[in-house]
Amino acid sequence: MARPRPLLIAALLVLPITLAASPAMASPTTRTVTEQAQFAAGGMTVTNLTTYVVDPTAGVVKVLAEMQFTNTLPDQRDGNIITRRYFTGFSIPVPVGASNAFAATANGTPVRVTPRLVGGVENYYVLDVDFASNLFYQQTARINVSYDVNGVDPRGENPSRVNEAYAAFEAFGIGDPGRVTVKVVVPPGFESETFGDEAPTTNEFGFTVYTVTDIEEPDQFSLFVSARNDAALDSRTVTLDDGATFNVRAWPDDPEWEAFVVEQIEEGVPALAELIGVPWPIDGTVEVREAYTPFLYGYAGWFSASTREVEIDEELDAEVVLHELSHAWFNDNWFTERWLSEGFAQVYAAAVMEQLGGNPRSPTRPRTTDPGAIKLTAWTTPQFAEADPEEETFGYNTSYYLIQEMYDEVGPDAMREVLAAIADREIAYVGEGEPETVSSGGTWQRLLDLLENRGGSTEAQELIDTWVLIFSQSAQLDERAEARGKYADLVEAGDEWAAPIGLRRAMSEWRFDHAEELIAAATEVLAARDQLDEWAARLNLTYPDTFEADYQAATTVDDLQAIVEAIEEQIDAAETLSASIDSEAEDDGLLGGLGLMGTNLPVLLDEARTAWAEGDLDTTRARATEVNDTIADAPDVGRSRALAIGGAVIAVVLLVVVAILLLRRRKRRRAAAEQQATAEHEASAGSGELIVPLPDGTDDRGDDGSGGDDGGGGGDGGGD
């Protein structure tokens, strides 16, 4: 900020006189501060102690200039004529708004003081002070000049401000080099800082005292004092519907500022939250103070999210108020780079201002030839007193321009999604389910990834490359482009399999060498998976989803190689199972079929299928092997069974033959017995002998029993 420099004026009257003539007045000559060093050379030495005392109760800064003047112009003799040169007074500059001007000699005798405007000077006027008497050669006059600095009303062009809560004024002194002292006294309760020349500080009974002695270049000296007493600020609490609370604190003499800021809070904060897509992010009361300090450093305000403080200058500028309120979102919690926080804050402040019927300023397209042009990655937050005004102007405008271009390209909805990801620290490369989080804050790399991945931007990279990056950073974009191409191919090949988290983190962290190693390993996994898909389709089975889960959870190349090995094991088991299924379906032949009688191969194959689908490869192989072994052994088993059956048939035949032979043998024996019995019967018929039947109830008279009738007849006869 360009601070006003006081106009210091001394009035010198030169009167040539003769001893014999009345004095003749010459026209007065005025000298500016740049001529002040000529005082001694011009005939008068000036010593000065100027004291500034802040009096908040009276609402003024009381100024006392204790000045001593000595005429060093000797009388001039020309024959009998003596010319005496003398001074009748002097002029001292005072700020506009100064009042109660008074001058007196050291012993208290008042002298005349006449205020006078100076053409072309708006912030200062002069007091023409008369000496009590003409100041002749080697004479010394001591004059004390006092006045009050009342300050001007808020938003006045003059920077002087004096009220119970704040005082701002410029302290200076006039006089010869090495003969000027400036002293400033600030009462207890005020926090003060100074701008301009260095001023040593002491504490005297609670008063802060700045003292600069023996000033070597008083014409260049300037000390601007800013003193604040926040306890004296007026306060007004504002609570919004969402619970956001603010304490608006204004200078006691500026109710207009208080009402204006309250209006911006009540209308602007809800509109900002809706447009950004994130609720007001600060818990606790935020203090919004009217202050002049930011303006002194060339800024309109500042915001601290950590201390919940906002300071805004006295101007009634809606864009400034909304910009500072936007920093509740756009600060170090979201972004690690200044251009991002400032650019987003300005874009959203302007958008809300327009919604509320205002007319925000638009950014201008930057040029590399602009004063202060700088790559924004190097645009960092300076100490206030060390800021380069041209760099600051360029940085603010270019940040605004870039973010506005990005906002216009993707639109408010997509940008809302991008900001939500930044707020929640979501990973830029998402997989399945809820996005993972990252530890790093919002960098230009992260913003670029999110703008492209979430917002669909195609222009952000060129904007960032042109205005943000230095050469070494631009080189990363080529590496990124190559890695992103390979990553896109992998994602497409993966289909329903999302990229591994280790790869997605490497891409998000811009570790592209590592990312490409992971891509190569992941590609091998997908190739193995495709083979596994073919086997699963051939078997009409599904395989365990643990492969997909493990793939997506993989963080290292070793993890991915282990998955390849596991898939190859699954494929190997599939080959074994498929072979057993094929074997079971083949024609077994007569002996094979005979050998497989009583086995249950389908049950074994079902168990093998179930085990394979569940990833139980040991059981799969065991059942498949059992099927294969059973089928392989079936011919031998059938042959053995056939032999066993043949032997059994022969044995049965033999048994039948034996049985037949035995039966025939019995019949022959029976027939022989019957014949013998008949013969015996006939032999004993006439002698009255009893005939005994054979044991089976037959007699020996014939197989058909016809002889029984004859025997019956004989028997009957014998009975008689």
Side-chain angles (χ1 to χ4, degrees):
M1 183 192 80
R3 296 188 301 276
R5 187 169 298 281
L7 175 66
L8 307 183
I9 301 173
L12 172 63
L13 290 180
V14 180
L15 264 68
I17 61 172
T18 65
L19 295 176
S22 299
M25 294 291 296
S27 299
T29 301
T30 60
R31 291 195 171 99
T32 65
V33 64
T34 58
E35 299 170 316
Q36 183 175 313
Q38 301 175 4
F39 278 176
M44 184 166 63
T45 62
V46 181
T47 302
N48 179 18
L49 166 61
T50 302
T51 303
Y52 297 79
V53 179
V54 178
D55 185 350
T57 302
V60 298
V61 176
K62 294 185 175 297
V63 183
L64 173 62
E66 301 172 82
M67 309 183 72
Q68 177 178 297
F69 302 89
T70 300
N71 187 340
T72 61
L73 293 176
D75 296 340
Q76 295 179 339
R77 180 182 296 272
D78 184 8
N80 65 342
I81 298 175
I82 298 176
T83 301
R84 303 187 67 189
R85 293 177 293 178
Y86 62 95
F87 296 91
T88 63
F90 62 95
S91 297
I92 181 173
V94 296
V96 170
S99 62
N100 299 325
F102 178 79
T105 62
N107 60 13
T109 301
V111 295
R112 187 172 62 182
V113 178
T114 304
R116 174 169 54 86
L117 296 177
V118 179
V121 180
E122 297 180 354
N123 294 330
Y124 289 83
Y125 65 97
V126 297
L127 299 176
D128 292 328
V129 182
D130 291 342
F131 290 131
S133 59
N134 294 335
L135 187 66
F136 290 96
Y137 176 57
Q138 293 185 335
Q139 289 183 342
T140 296
R142 294 178 176 84
I143 301 294
N144 296 336
V145 180
S146 63
Y147 58 89
D148 294 339
V149 176
N150 299 297
V152 298
D153 293 336
R155 292 166 289 284
E157 292 185 4
N158 189 301
S160 296
R161 303 285 184 273
V162 183
N163 57 58
E164 294 182 11
Y166 183 70
F169 56 94
E170 188 156 18
F172 59 92
I174 63 172
D176 292 334
R179 292 175 175 269
V180 176
T181 295
V182 173
K183 186 176 183 180
V184 176
V185 181
V186 180
F190 279 78
E191 295 180 3
S192 57
E193 56 184 325
T194 61
F195 306 84
D197 289 272
E198 184 176 354
T201 308
T202 59
N203 187 290
E204 301 178 12
F205 305 102
F207 289 82
T208 300
V209 179
Y210 299 93
T211 306
V212 185
T213 61
D214 303 327
I215 299 172
E216 291 296 332
E217 296 182 294
D219 59 315
Q220 297 297 317
F221 176 83
S222 179
L223 182 69
F224 195 90
V225 180
S226 173
R228 57 192 293 170
N229 178 14
D230 290 346
L233 291 169
D234 287 346
S235 295
R236 178 176 173 182
T237 300
V238 179
T239 302
L240 304 182
D241 292 341
D242 63 357
T245 305
F246 302 83
N247 184 17
V248 179
R249 309 198 65 192
W251 293 337
D253 62 347
D254 198 2
E256 185 180 4
W257 183 92
E258 177 184 280
F260 177 81
V261 171
V262 168
E263 180 182 3
Q264 301 309 308
I265 291 173
E266 291 178 339
E267 296 182 0
V269 170
L272 283 168
E274 181 178 358
L275 186 60
I276 295 170
V278 178
W280 176 256
I282 296 179
D283 294 327
T285 300
V286 175
E287 186 169 290
V288 183
R289 293 189 297 268
E290 182 175 12
Y292 204 65
T293 304
F295 177 75
L296 298 177
Y297 288 110
Y299 301 93
W302 59 265
F303 183 102
S304 172
S306 60
T307 60
R308 303 195 303 274
E309 295 176 284
V310 184
E311 284 198 355
I312 301 173
D313 73 9
E314 62 188 355
E315 299 298 327
L316 306 182
D317 189 332
E319 195 169 353
V320 169
V321 178
L322 293 171
H323 177 100
E324 297 307 330
L325 292 173
S326 295
H327 278 304
W329 290 271
F330 306 119
N331 54 59
D332 290 347
N333 292 327
W334 279 19
F335 297 112
T336 60
E337 297 173 37
R338 186 186 183 195
W339 74 273
L340 293 173
S341 294
E342 295 299 340
F344 272 103
Q346 186 57 38
V347 166
Y348 279 85
V352 168
M353 183 180 179
E354 189 171 11
Q355 285 183 14
L356 300 178
N359 185 26
R361 66 180 180 87
S362 298
T364 59
R365 182 178 181 84
R367 297 173 300 177
T368 57
T369 57
D370 287 343
I374 185 176
K375 290 289 189 177
L376 292 184
T377 192
W379 187 54
T380 57
T381 303
Q383 295 294 326
F384 277 160
E386 299 174 358
D388 183 322
E390 291 183 342
E391 282 190 4
E392 291 295 280
T393 299
F394 180 85
Y396 275 105
N397 176 73
T398 305
S399 299
Y400 183 10
Y401 173 81
L402 293 187
I403 300 302
Q404 188 67 63
E405 290 290 302
M406 297 171 189
Y407 180 90
D408 291 341
E409 182 200 5
V410 304
D413 292 338
M415 189 63 82
R416 189 179 292 114
E417 184 177 348
V418 168
L419 293 178
I422 290 174
D424 296 336
R425 292 184 177 267
E426 293 179 359
I427 196 168
Y429 294 81
V430 297
E432 288 185 350
E434 291 295 320
E436 297 84 0
T437 59
V438 295
S439 58
S440 60
T443 61
W444 66 266
Q445 294 99 323
R446 196 160 136 67
L447 176 65
L448 178 58
D449 285 342
L450 289 171
L451 283 171
E452 292 184 349
N453 296 352
R454 304 284 184 94
S457 173
T458 60
E459 301 175 4
Q461 177 170 313
E462 182 178 356
L463 289 168
I464 291 174
D465 189 21
T466 301
W467 299 106
V468 178
L469 307 184
I470 60 178
F471 178 78
S472 60
Q473 293 171 319
S474 293
Q476 297 180 47
L477 296 177
D478 294 334
E479 300 174 15
R480 175 179 183 265
E482 183 176 355
R484 279 177 65 87
K486 294 179 180 179
Y487 179 84
D489 292 342
L490 181 76
V491 170
E492 182 178 1
D495 195 13
E496 295 180 356
W497 285 29
I501 177 60
L503 170 58
R504 293 188 286 111
R505 287 198 183 279
M507 292 293 294
S508 294
E509 295 166 3
W510 285 48
R511 294 184 293 123
F512 299 123
D513 288 344
H514 183 52
E516 293 197 15
E517 292 175 356
L518 291 169
I519 289 172
T523 300
E524 293 181 7
V525 174
L526 296 181
R529 179 209 60 182
D530 292 343
Q531 295 179 28
L532 183 58
D533 285 340
E534 294 176 1
W535 278 104
R538 185 182 304 176
L539 295 172
N540 195 26
L541 294 174
T542 60
Y543 50 81
D545 56 9
T546 54
F547 293 126
E548 180 181 359
D550 291 344
Y551 172 79
Q552 294 174 169
T555 59
T556 66
V557 170
D558 289 343
D559 291 343
L560 294 168
Q561 290 175 343
I563 297 170
V564 171
E565 293 173 1
I567 293 177
E568 289 175 345
E569 283 289 304
Q570 189 83 18
I571 291 173
D572 181 72
E575 292 174 350
T576 301
L577 174 58
S578 178
S580 66
I581 293 172
D582 292 344
S583 295
E584 193 273 340
E586 292 177 356
D587 185 5
D588 300 313
L590 180 60
L591 291 177
L594 183 60
L596 292 176
M597 292 178 61
T599 64
N600 201 353
L601 297 184
V603 172
L604 293 175
L605 289 175
D606 285 345
E607 292 178 357
R609 289 188 181 94
T610 300
W612 189 87
E614 294 175 351
D616 184 357
L617 304 186
D618 289 341
T619 298
T620 300
R621 291 189 177 96
R623 297 294 181 270
T625 299
E626 185 176 352
V627 169
N628 291 337
D629 291 346
T630 300
I631 293 173
D633 294 341
D636 292 339
V637 173
R639 189 174 297 108
S640 298
R641 287 179 176 175
L643 292 175
I645 292 171
V649 169
I650 293 172
V652 170
V653 171
L654 290 174
L655 288 173
V656 171
V657 171
V658 170
I660 293 173
L661 292 175
L662 289 174
L663 287 174
R664 288 181 178 177
R665 185 176 179 183
R666 287 185 64 188
K667 285 185 178 181
R668 286 196 299 270
R669 288 179 178 177
R670 186 177 297 159
E674 288 178 352
Q675 289 177 359
Q676 182 179 355
T678 301
E680 290 176 355
H681 175 69
E682 289 177 351
S684 61
S687 60
E689 292 181 359
L690 177 64
I691 299 174
V692 181
L694 292 173
D696 58 1
T698 62
D699 56 27
D700 205 18
R701 288 178 288 184
D703 291 339
D704 56 359
S706 59
D709 292 339
D710 291 343
D716 290 343
D720 291 337

